[in-house]
Amino acid sequence: MVGWALLLLGVGIRINNAFLFEAWRGFDAVENIEYLRLLQTSWALPDPETVWSASHPPLFYYLAAALWRGLRLASVDRWVLPVLPLAISALGIAAIAVAVALVRRIDPDNHRRQVLAAGLLLFLPVHIYISPMIGEELLVTLLVSLVLAVAAWPLSTPGARPDTRSMAGTAAIGVLCGLAFLTKLSGALVVAAVAILWAAEGARSRDWRSAITKLALAGSIAIAVGGWFYVHNLMAHGYLYPQDLAIHSKMFELPPGERSVMDYVRIPVATLTDPQLIQPDLLRSVWGGTYATLWFDGHRHFLGQSIAVTRIGTLLLTLALLPTLAFGVGLWRGARRALAEPIGVDTLLLAMVAITLLGYVAFTYGNPWYVTVKGSYLLGLSVPFALYTSEVLADWTQGPRGRSVFVTSVLIGLAVAIVATFWIGAIFVKLDGPGLDWRAVGL
């Protein structure tokens, strides 16, 4: 009953926001919609210098453009907004369903854990505020989650061993991986995570031939499905992936403009007290800024600038320390299990976490601007986050009464505060422009 109530509330907030969120306020929203408009007249891949978003892998844009064209054929294209945000929100809900399905597969009798896994993603602030925005984040999240679920499924019951003879799952993984990096370059990270799992299988069973066969099959299918876009870029423009193009030059003016090792070490108090990414202390902290965009709108594309918003941000980010700690404890438990049994779900999910975080570090270092510090770039970790955090919180909400009451109270308080904050019209309505005005503070 609690699970269904959480689902209805989670879906309800996304439907409300799909109708009330003004699409032009989203991340790169104007540029993304411009690309979609271009695809209304021609299906040809545009030159990356034509419009801002033309350098992105095209799957999301072609699917969204096809939906738009379908609405136009039905003479209801005036409804493209909110239909697009509703469709994107549905992709996000599907990704949550995949994560919960894997938790249920692993721990079928633990209903509490399944409800927690669903709630953690349904009410994760970044998941809520990215849902009505016109962009590819939730499509790639769904595809990556599907890859992890398909790869983990045969190993997710006690005593399970990989079926090295089955190629159907391997082929499915190849297709999904190809679609993932045809949606976003970071989608390729899941390929490496699966490769690590299969390498562990080969090392443990000494059946390297089977492992190499699976890698070759999945890799060749993934390249065929998603690699053609990058080959096209190389042949047509001389590079695999567009980077630092002239059309993106205004990005180069943004602060801080460079990164140091300390940016990845220091987490200032401003992460909690003044959670906006142009705050001078937070500007230099990659992990502080990431935390402020995972559990709050540190970029202010969804929420406005006000003292009240800052105070609610402090509340949310303080309460969110509990599930964040639980995720860390869950990772530790998973690491211990992976050491004891390398051929298992934990090896896959821990590899995904490590590779994603390393990729994020490399990306933010190579693109040293505050706008590239985004919690939405880590949504590919939805499955491990839901699985590990729900495991620990399910334990913490049972046992000693004092601990269980405290943890349950914090989680309920966090969920209520998130819904009140991110349900457009409940308390807050954004009236100012999209994002932060970094020039106004002299940066």
Side-chain angles (χ1 to χ4, degrees):
M1 189 67 180
V2 174
W4 285 110
L6 292 177
L7 177 61
L8 289 174
L9 186 57
V11 171
I13 191 173
R14 286 163 173 80
I15 292 174
N16 175 81
N17 293 351
F19 281 92
L20 296 184
F21 182 75
E22 297 176 277
W24 63 275
R25 298 184 186 276
F27 296 126
D28 297 333
V30 173
E31 294 83 359
N32 292 348
I33 293 173
E34 183 183 8
Y35 189 3
L36 295 181
R37 289 187 186 279
L38 189 65
L39 293 177
Q40 298 307 298
T41 59
S42 172
W43 287 118
L45 275 175
D47 188 298
E49 291 279 14
T50 305
V51 294
W52 179 281
S53 301
S55 60
H56 297 171
L59 181 59
F60 166 79
Y61 297 95
Y62 277 75
L63 291 176
L67 178 57
W68 192 341
R69 286 193 178 197
L71 293 173
R72 194 174 69 220
L73 287 173
S75 301
V76 290
D77 57 319
R78 65 186 181 279
W79 287 100
V80 67
L81 299 175
V83 169
L84 272 178
L86 285 171
I88 293 167
S89 298
L91 294 174
I93 295 296
I96 294 171
V98 171
V100 175
L102 185 58
V103 171
R104 179 176 295 176
R105 167 84 171 180
I106 292 170
D107 201 352
D109 298 323
N110 195 337
H111 181 68
R112 178 189 298 262
R113 183 179 178 186
Q114 296 161 23
V115 170
L116 284 166
L120 285 163
L121 293 177
L122 282 168
F123 302 106
L124 183 65
V126 67
H127 205 293
I128 295 174
Y129 73 68
I130 204 73
S131 292
M133 295 186 183
I134 309 300
E136 68 272 23
E137 298 292 354
L138 289 179
L139 175 58
V140 76
T141 299
L142 172 59
L143 292 168
V144 168
S145 297
L146 285 169
V147 172
L148 294 174
V150 172
W153 207 261
L155 303 172
S156 54
T157 55
R161 287 292 182 268
D163 183 359
T164 56
R165 297 168 297 174
S166 174
M167 291 293 108
T170 302
I173 287 170
V175 171
L176 291 168
C177 286
L179 292 175
F181 65 82
L182 190 58
T183 303
K184 194 175 179 70
L185 182 59
S186 61
L189 297 174
V190 73
V191 180
V194 174
I196 289 173
L197 172 65
W198 288 344
E201 291 176 2
R204 175 56 68 92
S205 65
R206 299 184 182 276
D207 185 6
W208 285 106
R209 181 178 179 181
S210 177
I212 292 171
T213 300
K214 291 168 71 175
L215 284 169
L217 176 61
S220 59
I221 292 175
I223 291 171
V225 172
W228 63 265
F229 170 71
Y230 303 94
V231 174
H232 165 80
N233 282 338
L234 183 62
M235 296 178 64
H237 309 295
Y239 44 68
L240 284 172
Y241 189 79
Q243 178 77 12
D244 298 336
L245 300 180
I247 196 171
H248 301 149
S249 59
K250 66 180 182 181
M251 287 271 293
F252 309 152
E253 303 174 17
L254 299 177
E258 60 180 1
R259 291 287 181 198
S260 68
V261 173
M262 288 304 299
D263 292 353
Y264 296 89
V265 174
R266 190 173 62 89
I267 300 178
V269 176
T271 302
L272 301 180
T273 60
D274 193 7
Q276 54 175 325
L277 266 65
I278 60 170
Q279 204 279 347
D281 286 338
L282 197 54
L283 180 70
R284 305 289 323 187
S285 174
V286 172
W287 298 120
T290 302
Y291 184 73
T293 57
L294 279 169
W295 293 102
F296 188 60
D297 178 21
H299 285 287
R300 299 298 200 278
H301 276 262
F302 193 91
L303 299 170
Q305 286 278 62
S306 71
I307 294 176
V309 167
T310 297
R311 287 176 177 170
I312 197 70
T314 297
L315 174 64
L316 291 177
L317 292 164
T318 301
L319 294 175
L321 291 171
L322 178 67
T324 304
L325 174 62
F327 180 46
V329 173
L331 288 174
W332 174 251
R333 291 183 182 182
R336 294 177 63 184
R337 289 193 295 264
L339 289 173
E341 177 49 75
I343 306 177
V345 174
D346 291 297
T347 296
L348 172 67
L349 298 187
L350 291 171
M352 186 64 195
V353 171
I355 291 167
T356 299
L357 294 181
L358 287 172
Y360 184 65
V361 167
F363 176 73
T364 53
Y365 189 84
N367 298 270
W369 308 295
Y370 78 92
V371 294
T372 62
V373 176
K374 289 180 182 175
S376 59
Y377 291 162
L378 299 181
L379 282 173
L381 299 181
S382 293
V383 168
F385 173 71
L387 190 146
Y388 288 127
T389 310
S390 66
E391 176 189 1
V392 175
L393 290 177
D395 290 344
W396 287 357
T397 54
Q398 300 178 93
R401 180 173 176 80
R403 183 188 68 183
S404 63
V405 169
F406 171 76
V407 172
T408 301
S409 299
V410 170
L411 293 177
I412 292 174
L414 178 60
V416 170
I418 287 171
V419 172
T421 302
F422 290 95
W423 186 297
I424 296 176
I427 296 177
F428 299 113
V429 175
K430 185 173 175 64
L431 300 175
D432 50 0
L436 298 164
D437 185 2
W438 57 274
R439 289 187 176 88
V441 293
L443 293 174

